[in-house]
């Protein structure tokens, strides 16, 4: 007689959950960037999808660390119900690398001094410091939650961002197929902030430094996977170097973009209406679903909200890209802490 052994009930896994981890290593990559490696047994199950995967970094309270930080899927509701002095601050970051076998996750923090709790924490991070990450569970449903890179099936890729988007752009570049074509423009505070990144030969990578001069970086030219480093002689406004670079690239490549100029006016009008509807406190965020825009360009823009708004406006209103070809993400807003 056959006996059937009942399968143990499968434990439901949430798509996103808390991972209690500790700092394993801290590596200063450049004047602005610090890579913090977090380790913890639980990270064996951390989602590995990569790209621009975003997570929440929960910071300790001076009084009681994480003693009052709620666990479970409804952590946010419970957190909101806590008295203000028992609410741990948290901020959004990108996973730069995941090594499940080593139970490690890397996050690259762009320092902006002590003006925010996350930047201040990262500047002092020391091995052994405990922290909570809220991120994807590899075995939960919806592994793609928190990933906004959805280029569909396009020929030409354009990635543009400031230092806060640099970790995401680097991770995306390293994931691209060898025959990918396009460009990545990264604006960073100093010439020394140019990071090593692997990119396909057909993707031009240009770094722009707001401060500093043409240093040794500039001499590298296009030899390493199409990487060019550039500098400026004097301090420049945030985002001011990205706009002309994008404009110049569009002029040089417009014919290759498959830009639907016939639909440009309609798309620009829709954008103007959407911008009018933006409230001062709403996050500036518009991420199209992966489209199959055969032969077209997909642009991914992230960084300071007003800079990114200006770039999207140019691409849609002047260059004639369809709004659905542009993923646009305000990663932070000048003069405002991240909304929690
Ligand atoms: C999806 C997503 C992914 C992100 N990934 C990364 C990442 O991988 N690495 C990274 O460094 N950042 C990343 N950011 C940006 C980061 O969340 C913000 O910079 C955040 O505001 C930092 O928190 P804070 O506590 O240091 O400052 P906050 O308390 O939020 O802000 C305090 C003050 O600092 C200003 N400020 C915030 N960020 C900067 C900055 N970079 N430069 C100058 N002034 C600033 C604010 O305008 C405010 O006036 C990401 C944001 C999003 C939405």
């Amino acid at each position: 007689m056959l006996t059937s052994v009942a399968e143990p009930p499968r434990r439901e896994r949430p798509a996103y959950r808390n991972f209690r981890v500790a700092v394993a290593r801290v590596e200063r990559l450049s004047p602005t960037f610090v890579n913090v490696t977090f380790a913890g047994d639980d990270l064996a199950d951390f989602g590995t999808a990569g790209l621009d995967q975003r997570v929440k970094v929960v910071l300790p309270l001076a009084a009681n660390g994480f003693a009052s930080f709620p666990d479970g899927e409804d952590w946010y509701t419970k957190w909101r119900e806590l008295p203000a002095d028992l609410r741990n601050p948290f901020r959004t970051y990108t996973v730069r690398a995941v090594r499940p076998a080593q139970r490690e996750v890397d996050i690259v923090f762009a320092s902006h001094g002590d003006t925010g709790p996350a930047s201040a924490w990262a500047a002092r991070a020391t091995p052994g410091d405990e922290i909570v990450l809220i991120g994807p569970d590899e075995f939960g449903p919806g592994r793609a939650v928190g990933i906004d890179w959805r280029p569909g099936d396009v020929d030409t890729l354009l990635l543009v961002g400031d230092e806060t988007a640099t970790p995401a752009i680097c991770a995306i570049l390293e994931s691209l197929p060898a025959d990918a074509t396009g460009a990545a423009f990264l604006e960073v505070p100093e010439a020394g902030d140019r990071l090593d990144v692997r990119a396909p030969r057909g993707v031009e990578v240009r770094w722009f430094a707001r401060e500093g001069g043409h240093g040794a970086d500039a001499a590298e030219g296009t030899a390493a996977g199409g990487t060019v480093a550039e500098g400026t002689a004097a301090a420049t406004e945030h985002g001011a170097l990205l706009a002309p670079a994008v404009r110049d690239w569009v002029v040089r490549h417009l014919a290759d973009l498959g830009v639907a100029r016939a639909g440009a006016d309609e798309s620009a009008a829709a954008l103007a209406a959407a911008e009018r509807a933006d409230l001062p406190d709403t996050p500036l965020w518009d991420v199209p679903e992966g489209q199959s825009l055969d032969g077209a360009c997909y642009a991914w823009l992230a960084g300071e909200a007003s800079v990114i708004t200006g770039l999207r406006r140019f691409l849609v209103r002047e260059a004639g890209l369809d709004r659905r070809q542009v993923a646009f993400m305000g990663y932070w807003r000048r003069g405002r802490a991240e909304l929690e």
Side-chain angles (χ1 to χ4, degrees):
M1 192 175 90
L2 290 173
T3 52
S4 66
V5 181
E7 278 209 8
R10 292 190 87 166
R11 196 158 58 91
E12 287 294 319
R13 310 281 290 244
Y16 249 58
R17 68 177 175 89
N18 297 1
F19 293 82
R20 294 201 178 230
V21 297
V23 173
R25 295 183 296 285
V26 178
E27 185 188 358
R28 180 151 291 282
L29 303 177
S30 77
T32 299
F33 295 114
V34 60
N35 183 69
V36 181
T37 300
F38 298 97
D41 286 346
D42 209 13
L43 291 177
D45 293 349
F46 194 89
T48 52
L51 301 169
D52 57 350
Q53 174 74 65
R54 63 173 180 270
V55 292
K56 299 289 182 200
V57 173
V58 185
L59 302 157
L61 289 173
N64 71 351
F66 296 97
S68 51
F69 191 72
D71 270 323
E73 266 190 88
D74 56 348
W75 66 270
Y76 184 65
T77 311
K78 290 184 190 156
W79 175 89
R80 285 184 65 117
E81 288 163 358
L82 289 169
D85 61 339
L86 291 182
R87 278 191 221 151
N88 294 75
F90 57 85
R91 296 290 184 266
T92 311
Y93 280 85
T94 306
V95 174
R96 180 64 182 90
V98 184
R99 291 176 295 278
Q102 285 84 36
R103 292 156 167 68
E104 289 182 348
V105 165
D106 291 344
I107 293 180
V108 173
F109 293 79
S111 168
H112 59 98
D114 281 352
T115 49
S119 177
W121 179 88
R124 294 167 185 79
T126 308
D129 288 353
E130 292 185 352
I131 205 161
V132 175
L133 297 179
I134 300 176
D137 188 309
E138 180 75 356
F139 303 101
R143 278 176 78 240
V145 176
I147 294 180
D148 296 304
W149 171 255
R150 300 172 203 160
D153 184 19
V154 297
D155 291 343
T156 307
L157 304 166
L158 177 64
L159 294 113
V160 186
D162 66 10
E163 58 269 37
T164 63
T166 295
I169 293 179
C170 290
I172 290 168
L173 286 174
E174 289 173 357
S175 77
L176 293 177
D179 60 353
T181 55
F185 300 145
L186 303 99
E187 190 192 272
V188 288
E190 299 186 30
D193 288 322
R194 190 180 74 84
L195 304 180
D196 288 334
V197 59
R198 287 189 318 278
R201 283 206 77 77
V203 179
E204 174 192 8
V205 181
R206 298 175 70 188
W207 294 82
F208 299 91
R210 287 191 293 276
E211 293 181 341
H214 293 272
D217 287 345
E220 287 192 11
T222 55
T227 299
V228 185
E230 301 186 0
T232 57
T236 313
E237 272 291 296
H238 203 104
L241 300 170
L242 291 176
V246 169
R247 195 172 282 271
D248 176 61
W249 186 81
V250 164
V251 169
R252 283 189 288 126
H253 294 270
L254 200 62
D256 304 334
L257 294 183
V259 169
R261 292 210 68 88
D265 290 346
E266 205 181 305
S267 199
L271 174 61
E275 284 183 352
R276 275 196 298 279
D278 275 340
L279 300 170
D281 285 332
T282 50
L284 289 163
W285 204 275
D286 190 3
V287 179
E289 285 304 315
Q291 316 274 339
S292 201
L293 295 162
D294 214 11
C297 169
Y298 172 79
W300 181 102
L301 318 172
E304 201 283 321
S306 63
V307 172
I308 297 307
T309 303
L311 292 173
R312 178 170 76 158
R313 196 173 290 149
F314 167 72
L315 287 175
V316 175
R317 289 199 192 162
E318 293 183 47
L321 260 70
D322 191 298
R323 210 177 139 200
R324 291 166 304 165
Q325 291 171 258
V326 184
F328 141 91
M329 292 146 289
Y331 270 17
W332 62 284
R333 274 192 201 218
R334 182 182 301 282
R336 283 173 192 233
E338 185 180 324
L339 296 176
E340 287 169 344

